[in-house]
Each structure stands twice: as structure tokens, then as C-alpha cells.
Amino acid sequence: AREWLNRSVSGHRTPDNQATRLMLQALIESRERNTSGAEALFARALELKPHHRLRAEINYERALFQFVALRHDDARLTLRAIRPYADIVSVKAIELEGRIYSASGEYRSAHAAFGNALTELDKCAAIDMSLRASLLRQFAEIAAEVDNDDGDRLVREAESITWGQSVLREQVQTLRYIGLVHRRAGRLDEAMRLFGEASSIAPGSPWQVLGVAECACLCIDQESSWGARGWVAQAQRLVEQIEWATVRDEQRVALLALAQVNARLKHADVARTLLEMYR
């Protein structure tokens, strides 16, 4: 990647191209946990005074790197430089601010940040539907942590969104998180409905297995082992139909959830087999 970056801008050494190269090199260093090297490259990129849109993007990537490194105060400081520019990068900056608040346990501030990000996203010329779905998912999840009268309304507002062209993965994840909110609040019928809806969006996929497994968990929570066994039997049939050769993140989550259900039903052999697939 370093060699390619050095070659790619050799004939076009404008400040923007140079800044982009330095930013990408900084990201490589950050992946290799070279904190001081990454910070130095981000700083050099900003010193080139690139276009304000690119400058905002560099600051966002720098703040994201600082957040992942658990340097929350540094990330907040970096994010302040992005706010004046109203576009998708600014929305992502506000979202990251919400994630920092959430990681610090400041749930009301996180709640306000996610709401602000959604408002600002609606003002953008081109709305990123994947980002919108991600924001709603986080908004719904954080509502479970905010103890106020507005929590239920916000959850239902997120649930009622028309998805348009939102990507499948984010649709499913959003419904699952709203279902978890209902589950924590003791509204098990609502949670069951949403998990079922999440599983039906992607028939024959690991997401369907995951939704079905979560419905089984809810049955166990309601002390309905008979209902749980029915869901588990359905999930087992689905497992046999899915190609597991390349296990991606959602497949691993589905396998683990199904293993946990079988363990709770005392199907130890089946649970062990699923855990081996998970590993």
C-alpha cells in the first residue's frame, strides 16, 4: 500500500493530492498501532492547507483513530475543527461525538448528538441512506439507556422510518437493536415481532438464523420451552441450507446465538457442534 501511494501521486503533486497521500499513510500507521507516526502524518497533511472538504475528512479520520485508541479528549478536540462545514463528513463527525459520549457513559449527551446528526443529515444535498440507518440504529440503542419519558417515542420513531434505499444489513441491524430495546423494557411481544421482522427481511441468510434464534431466546425468557423448541427446530433447518464455507461476522453472530439457545435448552451436543463451527 505504501509503494502504491508513493507512485500514485508522483505526477500530480498538488496540496490536495499530497494531503490525501499523507492521510492514507497515517491510516496505514494507525492500523499498525504506530500512534506517534500516524499523528505526525495527520499533522503534516493538515499543514498543506488542502481544500476545506478534504481538511474536514482528514480531521474526521484523525478523530476516529484517536477514538479507537481511547483518546477521547483528543478526539473531541479534533472534531471541533469539522463543525463549520455542512455535509456528510460533518454528520459523521457529530455521530462520532455521540459514540464518544456513549463510550463514556454520557447517554443523554449521546442521545442529543445522534438526534442532531439525523437533523443535519436531512439538510445535506445527498442523503447517505446507509449512514441514516446506522444513526437510527445507534439512536434506538441509546434510548434504552436514557431514563426519560421520551425514550419510547424515540424508539417508535426509529421503527417507523421508511427505509427507501437503505442497505439490507443496516435495516436488519436497526430492527434488531429496537427489538433489544423493547426486550430490556420487558415488552417481549414487541421484541418478538421485531426479531421476526428482522429475520424475514433476508430469507435463507444468516440474519434469518439470528432472528429466529433471538425469538427462541425470548420464548425461554417467557418460560415457554415448547415455543423455543419450535423456533430452534426452524433455525436448525435454516443452518443446513446456508453455505458456511466463508464465515463472515453476521454468520458468526448467528451461530453463537443459536449455540446459546441450545445450551439454555440443555441440548449440549448441538451447542458444542455450533460452537465448533463458530470457532
Side-chain angles (χ1 to χ4, degrees), residues 163-235:
W163 295 108
Q165 298 176 8
S166 174
V167 296
L168 176 67
R169 182 191 181 101
E170 291 294 353
Q171 288 184 48
V172 175
Q173 284 287 62
T174 303
L175 288 170
R176 286 188 57 238
Y177 271 108
I178 299 170
L180 290 172
V181 171
H182 286 308
R183 183 178 179 179
R184 287 183 214 170
R187 296 186 292 268
L188 300 185
D189 288 342
E190 285 290 295
M192 179 79 80
R193 178 179 63 79
L194 284 160
F195 289 144
E197 188 175 337
S199 70
S200 68
I201 287 178
S205 74
W207 290 117
Q208 187 175 17
V209 174
L210 181 56
V212 169
E214 286 173 323
C215 287
C217 279
L218 282 174
C219 285
I220 297 173
D221 290 344
Q222 293 172 307
E223 298 183 351
S224 172
S225 59
W226 181 85
R229 290 175 198 281
W231 283 109
V232 168
Q234 182 181 341

Side-chain angles (χ1 to χ4, degrees), residues 84-101:
Y85 310 113
D87 61 7
I88 295 292
V89 178
S90 298
V91 174
K92 288 165 66 177
I94 301 170
E95 178 203 27
L96 181 53
E97 188 176 53
R99 289 164 63 188
I100 293 169
Y101 283 129

Side-chain angles (χ1 to χ4, degrees), residues 27-238:
L27 292 175
I28 292 170
E29 296 303 322
S30 71
R31 295 294 190 278
E32 296 185 350
R33 303 184 189 280
N34 179 3
T35 302
S36 59
E39 281 289 10
L41 287 163
F42 279 125
R44 284 174 55 197
L46 292 168
E47 285 170 2
L48 290 169
K49 297 185 174 16
H51 184 269
H52 69 78
R53 175 64 171 70
L54 177 56
R55 188 176 184 84
E57 188 173 341
I58 293 168
N59 273 315
Y60 171 76
E61 293 294 348
R62 187 182 197 178
L64 185 58
F65 153 65
Q66 291 165 337
F67 170 66
V68 171
L70 303 180
R71 292 162 48 205
H72 294 172
D73 290 340
D74 290 340
R76 283 192 178 102
L77 190 62
T78 302
L79 287 172
R80 287 178 195 165
I82 300 175
R83 283 302 183 84
Y85 310 113
D87 61 7
I88 295 292
V89 178
S90 298
V91 174
K92 288 165 66 177
I94 301 170
E95 178 203 27
L96 181 53
E97 188 176 53
R99 289 164 63 188
I100 293 169
Y101 283 129
S102 178
S104 304
E106 300 173 59
Y107 297 124
R108 290 183 186 278
S109 296
H111 192 276
F114 292 135
N116 187 21
L118 280 165
T119 300
E120 292 302 313
L121 182 60
D122 287 338
K123 296 177 184 177
C124 293
I127 295 179
D128 184 327
M129 292 303 294
S130 176
L131 176 58
R132 183 176 181 80
S134 176
L135 281 167
L136 284 165
R137 171 172 60 80
Q138 294 177 92
F139 202 13
E141 183 184 13
I142 210 69
E145 308 293 347
V146 179
D147 184 18
N148 62 17
D149 295 336
D150 226 16
D152 285 351
R153 181 187 65 78
L154 290 163
V155 169
R156 296 186 189 285
E157 181 182 327
E159 183 182 338
S160 67
I161 289 295
T162 301
W163 295 108
Q165 298 176 8
S166 174
V167 296
L168 176 67
R169 182 191 181 101
E170 291 294 353
Q171 288 184 48
V172 175
Q173 284 287 62
T174 303
L175 288 170
R176 286 188 57 238
Y177 271 108
I178 299 170
L180 290 172
V181 171
H182 286 308
R183 183 178 179 179
R184 287 183 214 170
R187 296 186 292 268
L188 300 185
D189 288 342
E190 285 290 295
M192 179 79 80
R193 178 179 63 79
L194 284 160
F195 289 144
E197 188 175 337
S199 70
S200 68
I201 287 178
S205 74
W207 290 117
Q208 187 175 17
V209 174
L210 181 56
V212 169
E214 286 173 323
C215 287
C217 279
L218 282 174
C219 285
I220 297 173
D221 290 344
Q222 293 172 307
E223 298 183 351
S224 172
S225 59
W226 181 85
R229 290 175 198 281
W231 283 109
V232 168
Q234 182 181 341
Q236 293 289 163
R237 287 195 298 273
L238 290 168

